[in-house]
Amino acid sequence: MTIRSATDTALEHVRTLVERADEAPTLQALADAAKLSPTHLQRAFRRRYGMSPAEYHRARRFGQLKAALRDGAAVTDAVYDAGFGSGSRVYEHSDRLLGMTPASYRAGGAGADIRYTTTDTPLGRLLVATTARGICSVTLGDDDAELESRLAAEFPQATHQRVDAGREEWLDAVIRHIASELGWSDAEAPELPPLDVAATAFQWRVWDALTRIPSGTTKSYGELAAELGMPKAARAIGRACGSNRLALIVPCHRIVREDGSLGGWRWGVERKRELLAGEQRDENHHTRHTAAA
């Protein structure tokens, strides 16, 4: 067994321990189980899964909490059923992982202030929405009415405030970042604002892997599952792609079926086809330009 495969096996073992633990294991305990130093484990785990073991455990708990709240469970019951010893521990982290308090999320975003704007793109209309904490939605559609309806369905009790493009720093940064990354603009891509999307640890892991697929290339569900060390998780990866709320930022359009066919896409298969074709053209142009230089 190579050093790399041995480390991968150790990381999967650690992930399993974290998944099954009611309380987050200490880094030293996980390092002992993996036969790695705590520093090496922390760095390798973050590199592979996009977060530390402690953050992975917390995100998994919040994923369970979110599901229970959306199913209508009482806040107190949901908090304890998800493995949190007290409500205070939930509220300490809810701003980052839920974007709002558990009671507010269960109530459809009651009390949250969502600001959004729409703009034209080569793929149709684009809606970008943020809370005070970060980006909560990026969607594509045929018209503003469709996009606004989706946003209202996701956060029915939140306050929705439309702002003109260019008058909201975060909204403008997202639009300029997407335009630059996809070749719709020659301007330099600004840094993205923080994300404010509630998700399970597994979803975060899949979405992080999607962001590492280079523009102009695709992977199948099976290939991504194998890359993540979970060869039987192709269907689960498909569901994680389908739950992505950040169109173009998390590039789930780069995932295709095992036979190479496009499959579906949350924002329309024709848009997916056009997007992939455009990325391939841009990549080919860049390759020819680099070779000529």
Side-chain angles (χ1 to χ4, degrees), residues 110-125:
D113 181 17
I114 295 176
R115 296 164 65 84
Y116 73 94
T117 193
T118 58
T119 188
D120 268 321
T121 77
L123 297 175
R125 297 293 286 176

Side-chain angles (χ1 to χ4, degrees), residues 8 11-12 15 47-49 202-210 212 219 221-231 233 237 240:
D8 289 344
L11 290 177
E12 277 300 302
R15 186 186 64 79
R47 185 167 56 248
R48 176 154 187 166
Y49 301 113
F202 178 77
Q203 287 171 330
W204 280 121
R205 186 181 173 200
V206 172
W207 296 347
D208 179 65
L210 292 172
R212 294 195 295 271
K219 288 185 178 180
Y221 296 107
E223 287 173 332
L224 190 61
E227 181 180 295
L228 292 176
M230 306 173 69
I237 286 175

Side-chain angles (χ1 to χ4, degrees), residues 11 14 27 38-56 58 96 204-205 208-209 212:
L11 290 177
V14 168
L27 184 61
T39 301
H40 184 193
L41 173 61
Q42 181 91 325
R43 290 176 179 172
F45 195 95
R46 184 180 293 279
R47 185 167 56 248
R48 176 154 187 166
Y49 301 113
M51 60 188 79
S52 70
E55 290 168 336
Y56 189 99
R58 189 160 56 240
R96 184 171 63 85
W204 280 121
R205 186 181 173 200
D208 179 65
R212 294 195 295 271

